[in-house]
Amino acid sequence: QVQLVESGGGLVQPGGSLRLSCAASGSIFSINTMGWYRQAPGKERELVASITSRGSTNYADSVKGQFRISRDNAKNTVYLQMNSLKPEDTAVYYCNVRMRKTMLSPTMDYWGQGTQVTVSS
């Protein structure tokens, strides 16, 4: 089994910062891309940022220069530093990990349970 444990969400005022963490554990052979998605009420889930095993990053246009994704391969953990938060950043944030459980396993996507981020005064 694979577990993804997210932390760091919460309520923050506009202009504030939060740092999300997602740690993967369990049966893991290799991890490829790690990323964060978000889903606001009434909207589809969207990619926020992703990072490959070599450190190449990709960001949604709406968060470029505002959010920063990083990862610690030794800890199988991905982070999302969110700065200058706006009310429109309010959403449930989901961790996504693309990985193989064993050498013979196919590459699959695994999802965290989601963590609520609310930006409000």
Side-chain angles (χ1 to χ4, degrees), residues 7-72:
S7 61
L11 173 64
V12 63
Q13 292 186 343
S17 298
L18 284 174
R19 188 192 194 209
L20 305 183
S21 299
C22 173
S25 63
S27 179
I28 299 173
F29 173 73
S30 65
I31 295 178
N32 187 353
T33 303
M34 306 181 83
W36 291 94
Y37 288 70
R38 67 185 180 187
Q39 187 167 20
K43 295 188 177 181
E44 294 186 353
R45 189 174 299 189
E46 63 175 358
L47 173 68
V48 176
S50 64
I51 183 168
T52 69
S53 58
R54 296 187 176 186
S56 295
T57 58
N58 179 46
Y59 293 92
D61 287 343
S62 59
V63 305
K64 285 181 179 177
Q66 180 189 358
F67 291 2
R68 187 173 70 88
I69 191 170
S70 61
R71 63 189 280 174
D72 184 332

Side-chain angles (χ1 to χ4, degrees), residues 5 8 17 21-22 26 32 45 56 70 75-76 78 83 86 90-91 94 106 108 110 116-117:
V5 179
S17 298
S21 299
C22 173
N32 187 353
R45 189 174 299 189
S56 295
S70 61
K75 296 180 179 180
N76 292 333
V78 62
N83 300 321
K86 310 166 188 175
T90 296
Y94 296 91
M108 295 181 63
Y110 294 84
Q116 177 70 46
V117 172

